[in-house]
Amino acid sequence: MYLEEKQLEASVESLISRVAHVKNALHSFIYKLENEYERLTWPSVLDNFALLSGQLNTINKLLKNEKTPSFRNQVIIPLLLSPDRDEDLAKLTEQRVPVFSHEIVPDYLRTKPDPEVEEQEKQLSAEAARIGPEVAQKQIQTLNKLCSNLLEKLNNPREDRDAESATMRQNKSSFNPADTNALVGAVAFGKGLSKCRPPGPVAPGHPGQGPMMSGGPTLQQVTIGGGSGQQAGMGGPVAPQQQGQPGKMPSSIKTNIKSASGSMHPYNR
Amino acid sequence: MEAPPVTVMPVTGGTINMMEYLLQGSVLDQALESLLHRLRGLCDNMEPETFTDHELVYLLKGQQGNPFILRARRSLSHPKAPWHLRYLGQPEVGDKSRHALVRNCVDVAASHSLPDFLNEMGFRMDHEFVANGHIFRKGAMKIVVSKLSRILVPGNTENTERLSLSYLVELSVLAPAGQDTVSEDMRSFAEQLKPLVHLEKIDPSKQRH
C-alpha cells in the first residue's frame, strides 16, 4: 500500500511538471500569435506545434508507463465548497481559479464526457462493430496505402519538380527547330533566297521549294558571256525571262553553261 | 663567292591555316529579349553592338561538279568600310564526338570594286541577303544574333522581307587548325544558353534535301 502511495505521488508530481511545460509552451505560442503575428512565419508556427505535440507525447508515455498506477481508480471528492475567495488557491492557480465553489466543480472535476459527446462515441463504436472485421481491415489497408503514397510524394520532391518544370518549359519553348533549319539552309546555300521567287507572303519555317536542286549548281540561267544580260546593281546575272517561272528548269540551260565556261576561262584551276 | 642557297620551292603563303568552329541555333522573336539579356550578362562587357550587313554569295562553276563559293559582305551601317571576302571550305569530317562544325576559313578585306572584280573573274552571284542583329564577344568566341531578310529586287537593299520569324544565333571561333579544346569551350558556353536556344552542330549538307 505504501509503495502504491509512493508511486502515485511520484507520478502525479511528474505529471504536474509535464503539464506545466505544456502550459508554458501554449502561453508563449499564444503570446506570439497575439503580439507578433506580423513577423510570424509559417515554419516558426510549425515549430510551436511540433513542440506541443512532443510534450503531449511525453505525457502520453508517462501515463502509459507501467510504474504509473491507474488514475482511474482514484476518486476526487470535494470536501468543502465555499463561495469565498481562497487566496492560497488563487496563488496556486495564478489567479485562474480564485474561488472553489459549486460553479467550477462540474468543469474541473469532470470524469465523464458531455452527454452529446457520449452519444456520438456510442454511435461510432456501434458503427465500428457493425461493419465487421474484414471490411474494417480493408479500410485500414486503404488508409495505410494512401498515407504511404503521400509520404513518398513528399519525400521525393525533386523528380516531381523536374517533370513539372520540363512540361512547363515545353509549352513556352523559345525556339523552333524548323526555323533553325530554314535559317541555316539560307545562310549555307541560299535555300529560299533564290531571286526567281516572286515577292509574296512567306510561311515561317517553310522557305518555299524554290528552284534549288541538290548538288550545288543553281538552276538559274547563268550567262557567262561577260557583259550581256547583266542588270544594274550588285552584278545580278539572272536572265529576265526566268522571272515568274519558279520551279521550271529547262535542261538546255545547263548545257549552255558548260560549253561557255570551257571556252571563256583563261584562269583554269 | 657562291650565292647563298636559295630554296627551290617557292615560299607558299604566309598565313596560318585558320579554321572556323561553328555552332548554330535559332530563337523565336518573343524570346529574343531574354536571350540578349543573358548574352549581355555572359559575354564580355562592352557596348552592345548592332550591325546591318549585306552578303552576296558568288559561285564559280568549273568543269567538275562542285562550284567554288566565295562570300562577299559589306556593312550597310558603315558604307565606307571595306568589303569582307570570305572563303569557307567543306566541313571537316573528323570524329563525330567533336562538338562544333569545323571548316577551313580564309578572310580578306577588299575594296569597293569587289563585285565588279568577281564578275570579271567569272564568278556569278548566286544569292544575296541582308543580315542585321547583334554581335557579342567572349574571349575568342563570337556570338552573332541576326535576322535574315530576303532581298526582293536584286541590288535593292531597302526592299527586304524577313525570311522567318526567328533570329539565327551563331557561335563561332576562328582558331588555327588542330586545337580541339576550342570546341569544348564552345560546348560549355552553349550549355549556358539552354533552354533559351539550343546551339548545335548543323551539317549543311544534310540540309539540302
Side-chain angles (χ1 to χ4, degrees), chain B residues 2-194:
Chain B
E2 276 186 12
V6 180
T7 51
V8 177
M9 296 294 292
V11 177
T12 45
T15 57
I16 314 168
N17 215 12
M18 294 299 273
M19 310 296 282
E20 186 204 32
Y21 294 75
L22 182 66
L23 284 178
Q24 288 166 310
S26 78
V27 64
L28 292 170
D29 280 356
Q30 52 260 39
L32 177 73
E33 272 309 304
S34 23
L35 178 67
L36 290 179
H37 278 141
R38 198 180 279 205
L39 283 172
R40 218 172 286 155
L42 287 173
C43 296
D44 291 347
N45 191 15
M46 22 172 276
E47 283 302 310
E49 259 183 59
T50 56
F51 68 94
T52 308
D53 280 355
H54 172 208
E55 175 156 330
L56 303 93
V57 178
Y58 284 87
L59 286 190
L60 180 66
K61 305 243 299 303
Q63 285 90 351
Q64 316 89 317
N66 281 353
F68 187 74
I69 303 177
L70 277 183
R71 294 167 187 272
R73 208 157 166 140
R74 68 166 173 142
S75 169
L76 292 173
S77 44
H78 301 283
K80 298 266 173 54
W83 283 63
H84 173 212
L85 189 65
R86 172 176 260 215
Y87 164 73
L88 288 173
Q90 291 297 317
E92 268 193 16
V93 266
D95 43 327
K96 295 280 188 258
S97 66
R98 201 180 304 167
H99 304 289
L101 192 71
V102 184
R103 43 193 187 178
N104 191 13
C105 172
V106 179
D107 290 298
V108 289
S111 70
H112 290 262
S113 53
L114 182 65
D116 297 332
F117 178 71
L118 288 174
N119 275 325
E120 296 295 329
M121 291 274 294
F123 286 84
R124 287 299 170 261
M125 186 182 72
D126 181 60
H127 59 271
E128 55 181 345
F129 58 88
V130 169
N132 62 55
H134 306 257
I135 177 170
F136 298 88
R137 265 190 189 284
K138 183 174 174 67
M141 295 196 283
K142 179 172 80 166
I143 299 101
V144 179
V145 179
S146 59
K147 166 174 75 166
L148 300 182
S149 310
R150 167 189 303 123
I151 292 182
L152 298 170
V153 177
N156 183 356
T157 53
E158 305 298 319
N159 193 9
T160 60
E161 174 196 35
R162 273 198 76 174
L163 210 49
S164 89
L165 289 181
S166 288
Y167 277 67
L168 179 67
V169 183
E170 286 175 304
L171 168 64
S172 62
V173 178
L174 270 184
Q179 284 190 6
D180 266 344
T181 50
V182 169
S183 58
E184 283 304 317
D185 295 337
M186 288 173 74
R187 194 170 73 92
S188 47
F189 187 79
E191 284 292 316
Q192 295 181 330
L193 289 181
K194 288 187 180 172

Side-chain angles (χ1 to χ4, degrees), chain A residues 167-177, chain B residues 28 30-31 195-196:
Chain A
T167 42
M168 259 176 35
R169 261 182 256 137
Q170 269 166 20
N171 292 341
K172 34 178 188 150
S173 133
S174 59
F175 66 94
N176 182 358
Chain B
L28 292 170
Q30 52 260 39
L196 275 180

